[in-house]
Amino acid sequence: MAVKRIDSTDQNVSKYVFDFGNAVAEAVLYKYPTYEARTVICCSTQSGCPVGCRFCGAGDAFVRSLTADEIVGQVQHLFADRDIDPAKVEKCQIMFMSMGEPLLNFGHLADAIRQLHALYPRFSLLISTSAPAVDYERVNALSVEVPAVGLQFSVHESTDAARDALVPFKAKLNLHQIAAAGEAWFVATGRQPFFNYRAHEGNTVQADADRIYAMFDPDVWQATISVVCERDESVAAANVRQRQLATDFMGKLGAYGYSTRCFDPAGQDDIGGGCGQLWFVQDWMRNNPELARPSVGRTFPIVHAPREVESAA
Ligand code: SF4
């Protein structure tokens, strides 16, 4: 296995690319402001992704699901690479949201979660899902068994039509079904699920907030508003405007009583540290077309077009 680290000019974030030979994974490591005070890790659960979200750099192709050891190994590698002693870390969140749909790799995810909880019992483990149509009773049972587990649904739009265009994978829950699944998880665990909403020009007016409120009870749900990160690095700088849209929509949801937070990861502008950027994965897919099967949303072939990648530590 080859691992490449790419450091952002923002000192607080680094990206890691794991090349397993027949698959690739990415993980991102953040500190706030030190690793000891608060560490956040986003790690991959699949190589590529079959869901095909149109904003996501991993969404064009799927290679394979990662094993539990490959998932846990990403976290262990990051700690070791930065000489982080997990016992000295006050707060840590390990989020299954870098690449892949965790619930389409549930068996390996569940094993990885049990291993990570045994290794780091104080750390939060967040499953971030696009809501494929799977058996959510298993998710609820795992979340009861491992109380460190949190659950976030990628809602992203206020209508099913808009969401279907963004997330073309057909075998998924609709918005009302997501609301019901989250409420069942809340009842089973006593913990609030999150919905994640990508704020952009087309989905941040008052009518969008009204529709979200009609479906998602603020006594059950907490809201994460994500700043849109461009998958194409040439337009990454566009996100000043995106941050404003996210902040404004947070205000609209806050007025309805939601507990809200903004997800605006560092490193978007130079290492693709944000959601769905995955620039290095996109390079790997171009260089390994025989291993990368087209995902549902892809409308163009992957062409071998190598690009210079900055050297890594
Ligand atoms: S956003 Fe997540 S679920 Fe959607 S294609 Fe990307 S990795 Fe898959």
Side-chain angles (χ1 to χ4, degrees):
M1 177 184 72
V3 187
K4 185 194 299 273
R5 188 182 88 207
I6 307 100
D7 293 327
S8 171
T9 50
D10 181 324
Q11 302 287 306
N12 295 327
V13 55
S14 302
K15 166 157 287 193
Y16 291 79
V17 182
F18 298 82
D19 189 337
F20 299 112
N22 61 5
V24 63
E26 273 197 19
V28 188
L29 174 66
Y30 306 90
K31 59 179 175 180
Y32 297 97
T34 65
Y35 295 121
E36 286 70 26
R38 183 172 163 231
T39 296
V40 174
I41 291 173
C42 289
C43 63
S44 297
T45 53
Q46 295 183 305
S47 183
C49 185
V51 175
C53 300
R54 293 299 73 220
F55 59 85
C56 175
D60 289 332
F62 177 57
V63 180
R64 66 168 171 83
S65 287
L66 300 179
T67 65
D69 286 348
E70 287 168 340
I71 298 169
V72 174
Q74 293 169 61
V75 177
Q76 291 176 310
H77 181 92
L78 270 50
F79 284 142
D81 184 63
R82 290 296 193 179
D83 285 327
I84 300 168
D85 177 356
K88 295 191 176 140
V89 176
E90 226 167 282
K91 271 189 176 172
C92 180
Q93 290 157 297
I94 298 168
M95 309 205 279
F96 307 101
M97 68 184 300
S98 175
M99 173 167 54
E101 170 43 64
L103 299 188
L104 293 179
N105 184 19
F106 186 78
H108 293 147
L109 173 78
D111 283 354
I113 281 178
R114 291 187 183 104
Q115 286 184 42
L116 288 166
H117 187 58
L119 286 167
Y120 318 115
R122 292 183 298 107
F123 295 174
S124 309
L125 305 167
L126 182 75
I127 301 171
S128 180
T129 180
S130 62
V134 297
D135 178 3
Y136 282 83
E137 289 295 332
R138 296 171 73 199
V139 181
N140 297 354
L142 176 68
S143 306
V144 169
E145 176 194 330
V146 181
V149 170
L151 185 62
Q152 173 167 277
F153 288 88
S154 296
V155 163
H156 292 332
E157 299 285 353
S158 72
T159 67
D160 284 309
R163 188 166 185 272
D164 287 346
L166 191 72
V167 185
F169 191 71
K170 288 199 166 42
K172 65 180 185 297
L173 305 189
N174 65 29
L175 291 170
H176 281 98
Q177 290 168 328
I178 292 174
E183 289 192 18
W185 189 85
F186 175 68
V187 170
T189 65
R191 306 190 290 276
Q192 286 187 292
F194 295 83
F195 65 77
N196 188 6
Y197 195 87
R198 289 179 84 248
H200 59 81
E201 295 279 358
N203 71 352
T204 44
V205 297
Q206 187 58 43
D208 293 296
D210 297 347
R211 279 191 288 269
I212 290 291
Y213 176 65
M215 292 182 280
F216 296 91
D217 181 349
D219 289 336
V220 170
W221 292 87
Q222 297 192 48
T224 304
I225 310 303
S226 289
V227 175
V228 166
C229 308
E230 300 292 348
R231 61 183 270 179
D232 177 346
E233 60 190 295
S234 65
V235 290
N239 61 23
V240 174
R241 170 76 183 136
Q242 313 290 19
R243 287 188 176 108
Q244 190 58 50
L245 288 168
T247 307
D248 291 350
F249 198 64
M250 267 176 69
K252 290 186 174 80
L253 292 186
Y256 267 132
Y258 291 101
S259 166
T260 60
R261 73 225 60 247
C262 184
F263 187 62
D264 184 14
Q268 295 168 34
D269 300 335
D270 62 349
I271 64 167
C275 285
Q277 291 188 303
L278 300 157
W279 295 337
F280 300 91
V281 166
Q282 293 182 61
D283 275 333
W284 191 95
M285 298 291 183
R286 279 190 284 267
N287 292 331
N288 295 274
E290 70 289 352
L291 293 171
R293 283 168 278 157
S295 294
V296 61
R298 197 170 95 203
T299 53
F300 54 90
I302 290 181
V303 178
H304 177 71
R307 175 173 69 81
E308 277 298 304
V309 175
E310 53 262 60
S311 61

